[in-house]
Amino acid sequence: MTETTGVIQVLDELTANQIAAGEVVERPLSVVKELVENSIDAGARRVTIQVEGGGLTLIKVGDDGVGLSKRDLPQAFLRHATSKIQNADDLFSIHTMGFRGEALPSIASVSQVETRSREKTAVAGYKITVTDNEVEFIGEVGMPVGTQITVKKLFYNTPVRKKFLKSPSTELGYIINLVGQLILANPNISFVLQSNGRVVLNSAGRGDLLQAIISVYGRQMADNMTKVAWQNRL
């Protein structure tokens, strides 16, 4: 009896990563959210976000948090790799913005990524580029402590996904709304959002909630707000 060819095939790694990317990276907003949350988890006190073309052309997120070592940089782009959990038990005691180890490899499977990072104890930083999940180690670079991730040509190899996106200005609006929420939730962190070279949002990060509100909504709206004190008596 002749055995017929099966219809179920195991996908290659790149295709599998691009499918996984659809669960994490829906639009430029998703990339900004994942990268900024990583910065917050890294203990950053200052986060800068630059976008061009509503995030489709360029997204760049830089921070002054805990950097990555030469060894950890390529590890960060492996599927299921994360610094936020060690085993299944950790899933019940998560204290970070997230624990998913899919964000960076998913982003890298649908864009061109350059990452620069420097640890506090290191005399220099290291830079790698990732395209189609192929990591190329570049070498040492001069940079301050922290991490800088640049994402270019988002969805360049999955053009069908672009059809579901709005105009660049609408996609930028989603990002502005997200960063505004992050400013209000983290008044102790300074955020700067730039679009096509223009500063859109800028917060001082001094821990003053009123100043954070002014950064997002403006002085007039802040002046019309009423402060409400609440105390948990439980």
Side-chain angles (χ1 to χ4, degrees):
M1 182 177 179
T2 303
E3 191 172 309
T4 59
T5 302
V7 296
I8 297 178
Q9 305 292 329
V10 178
L11 297 174
D12 62 87
E13 184 175 357
L14 177 59
T15 304
N17 283 340
Q18 289 180 341
I19 293 173
E23 301 175 1
V24 178
V25 186
E26 297 180 354
R27 56 191 345 114
L29 166 72
S30 309
V31 176
V32 174
K33 180 178 184 294
E34 295 288 351
L35 296 183
V36 174
E37 287 181 352
N38 280 346
S39 294
I40 294 173
D41 284 342
R45 299 305 302 269
R46 179 175 175 83
V47 180
T48 60
I49 306 115
Q50 301 175 40
V51 297
E52 294 180 6
L56 281 170
T57 305
L58 173 79
I59 296 173
K60 184 175 182 180
V61 176
D63 64 60
D64 60 355
V66 177
L68 295 170
S69 67
K70 176 181 178 180
R71 173 189 177 278
D72 284 339
L73 260 180
Q75 290 282 103
F77 286 90
L78 297 177
R79 290 190 68 188
H80 311 303
T82 178
S83 64
K84 300 175 183 179
I85 61 174
Q86 300 297 321
N87 53 57
D89 291 338
D90 292 341
L91 295 173
F92 300 97
S93 58
I94 297 170
H95 301 288
T96 59
M97 297 289 289
F99 66 89
R100 288 168 293 183
E102 299 299 318
L104 289 181
S106 293
I107 292 169
S109 69
V110 291
S111 67
Q112 298 173 354
V113 180
E114 177 189 283
T115 303
R116 302 181 179 209
S117 196
R118 176 187 167 192
E119 292 181 296
K120 186 176 182 179
T121 56
V123 296
Y126 293 93
K127 178 178 78 170
I128 63 172
T129 57
V130 185
T131 302
D132 292 336
N133 283 116
E134 291 294 327
V135 177
E136 179 183 359
F137 179 69
I138 303 298
E140 292 188 356
V141 291
M143 62 174 294
V145 174
T147 301
Q148 302 169 3
I149 299 182
T150 303
V151 178
K152 297 180 179 179
K153 299 181 179 179
L154 185 62
F155 301 135
Y156 79 100
N157 54 1
T158 52
V160 68
R161 191 168 294 276
K162 286 186 178 181
K163 296 180 180 179
F164 295 95
L165 300 179
K166 305 296 184 181
S167 66
S169 60
T170 299
E171 295 296 333
L172 173 62
Y174 296 148
I175 294 172
I176 293 173
N177 184 58
L178 168 70
V179 176
Q181 293 173 356
L182 291 169
I183 289 174
L184 297 176
N186 302 274
N188 60 320
I189 300 176
S190 171
F191 292 92
V192 178
L193 172 62
Q194 297 179 340
S195 173
N196 299 325
R198 180 176 64 91
V199 175
V200 180
L201 291 174
N202 187 0
S203 67
R206 297 179 185 143
D208 188 331
L209 181 57
L210 178 60
Q211 288 302 315
I213 293 172
I214 293 173
S215 299
V216 177
Y217 296 114
R219 169 67 69 175
Q220 182 176 0
M221 181 172 288
D223 288 343
N224 290 326
M225 291 183 175
T226 301
K227 183 177 181 180
V228 177
W230 176 81
Q231 182 177 357
N232 187 352
R233 299 182 180 277
L234 296 179

